[in-house]
Amino acid sequence: MSWSDVLTPDQARQVSGLVDRATEFDGKAPVSEQGRHAIAGRGQARHLVILDDGVVVGYAQLQAGSDEHPDMAELVVDPAHRRQGIGTGLAASVFDEGRPGTRVWAHGNIDAAVEFAKSLDLVSVRELLQLRRPLSAPQLPEIVVPEGVSLRTYRGREDDSEILRVNNAAFSWHPEQGGWTQAEIDERTAEGWFDPAGLFLAFADTDPNTLLGFHWTKVHPPEGDEPELGEVYVVGIDPAAQGRGLGRVLTLAGMHYLRERGLDTVLLYVEGDNTAALNTYEKLGFEKFHTDMAYARNS
């Protein structure tokens, strides 16, 4: 087994098929959106594939962290080849390749993942919750914009520098969301789901060029038994503008937009220990739907 910085076109095709089969079997995708992008060659990552007679039956991906954040990994084994030691081998290679403190995601934290982590003496070190809420009932609260603040939607690249500034200030602590560059914005605005009418920006009336906060919404197409879903994709508030209720206002603006598009349900992701955000979302009617868990070696 050897790690590589890029997958061949055939490997990328096979790994994507493997991820699809595992998603259908487990009911949860084993690889994140960011991981999917890396498989397709649109993001930096290290890759490890396990072959059986030329067919990819196991895959691991390692995303490098920064000095402040650990490396993060995702792995998947073909459902027809499980309980043969492939997953154990992938996990061992991930921890050997990654820096000390490397973490492995278990998306959905299904029973099989919990048992797998226990068998390797791994401990849970990060919890990411998916919350959901119907958009029809309970009724959405009205949007009450604070005096002296105006909302508008995305106008194009002229807004990108302020979005980057606020995003990186608001998420300086976050291993995935922090440290964005223009490349991250360009990648997302090029996606088929992007709609400039679904990216909301808040400005002070006295300073219309300095962004206070933003809410980037997303629409997921139907997949399997899942209908089309809306997402509170990113809500970022400038730390200097905290305490003014802008998170709630921007979140509601996006939720009203998603409802007007005819969507029935909205989802979001939030760190399990982000008490302030959880409190805000619970007051807006969100409830826990599932949990992603990151595991590390027990040190």
Side-chain angles (χ1 to χ4, degrees):
M1 296 188 295
S2 60
W3 289 85
S4 63
D5 292 327
V6 63
L7 294 171
T8 68
D10 180 63
Q11 286 175 332
R13 178 186 60 79
Q14 288 203 52
V15 169
S16 292
L18 168 59
V19 171
D20 290 341
R21 291 193 299 276
T23 300
E24 183 176 0
F25 183 85
D26 296 322
K28 305 291 181 185
V31 175
S32 64
E33 177 187 50
Q34 184 179 6
R36 283 277 200 176
H37 287 170
I39 291 169
R42 293 179 298 171
Q44 293 186 342
R46 301 274 289 158
H47 308 272
L48 180 64
V49 295
I50 305 297
L51 301 174
D52 181 16
D53 197 23
V55 177
V56 175
V57 296
Y59 170 73
Q61 180 182 124
L62 187 64
Q63 297 269 357
S66 65
D67 292 339
E68 301 175 3
H69 303 298
D71 297 349
M72 302 297 297
E74 297 171 305
L75 58 88
V76 55
V77 177
D78 191 296
H81 291 78
R82 293 179 180 176
R83 300 189 181 278
Q84 299 176 19
I86 296 173
T88 300
L90 285 170
S93 295
V94 161
F95 289 119
D96 288 343
E97 181 75 9
R99 298 178 303 164
T102 293
R103 301 174 176 183
V104 177
W105 278 114
H107 296 290
N109 204 33
I110 59 177
D111 291 345
V114 174
E115 293 174 7
F116 179 70
K118 185 177 180 180
S119 71
L120 297 179
D121 194 29
L122 305 181
V123 293
S124 58
V125 290
R126 183 180 170 196
E127 182 182 50
L128 185 65
L129 304 178
Q130 186 190 118
L131 311 183
R132 292 193 180 189
R133 183 201 195 279
L135 287 169
S136 54
Q139 183 175 351
L140 289 180
E142 293 300 315
I143 305 167
V144 181
V145 181
E147 186 176 353
V149 174
S150 296
L151 300 186
R152 67 167 172 84
T153 54
Y154 182 70
R155 292 177 178 170
R157 289 183 68 91
E158 66 186 77
D159 289 327
D160 289 356
S161 62
E162 277 297 288
I163 292 173
L164 284 173
R165 180 186 64 80
V166 170
N167 181 87
N168 292 340
F171 296 103
S172 60
W173 54 274
H174 199 281
E176 290 88 33
Q177 190 66 35
W180 272 22
T181 66
Q182 186 65 45
E184 277 74 29
I185 290 191
D186 290 344
E187 182 177 292
R188 284 155 180 78
T189 54
E191 292 281 357
W193 54 260
F194 175 68
D195 181 359
L199 175 46
F200 295 86
L201 311 176
F203 294 89
D205 294 341
T206 56
D207 188 3
N209 296 315
T210 301
L211 185 66
L212 301 176
F214 67 92
H215 176 192
W216 199 324
T217 66
K218 180 178 181 179
V219 176
H220 297 262
E223 184 175 347
D225 295 333
E226 287 273 33
E228 191 175 43
L229 296 170
E231 180 178 351
V232 177
Y233 186 48
V234 186
V235 177
I237 307 298
D238 189 329
Q242 291 284 357
R244 301 171 62 176
L246 294 174
R248 175 184 172 89
V249 170
L250 285 162
T251 300
L252 280 172
M255 292 171 68
H256 278 265
Y257 156 79
L258 293 168
R259 186 183 64 182
E260 289 164 6
R261 284 197 52 168
L263 299 174
D264 293 327
T265 303
V266 61
L267 66 88
L268 61 85
Y269 290 91
V270 61
E271 299 290 335
D273 60 359
N274 191 339
T275 304
L278 282 167
N279 184 52
T280 295
Y281 295 136
E282 287 171 359
K283 288 180 178 178
L284 289 174
F286 284 90
E287 297 180 350
K288 186 168 76 171
F289 183 76
H290 84 226
T291 302
D292 293 339
M293 193 72 74
Y295 290 93
R297 277 179 167 164
N298 189 353
S299 58

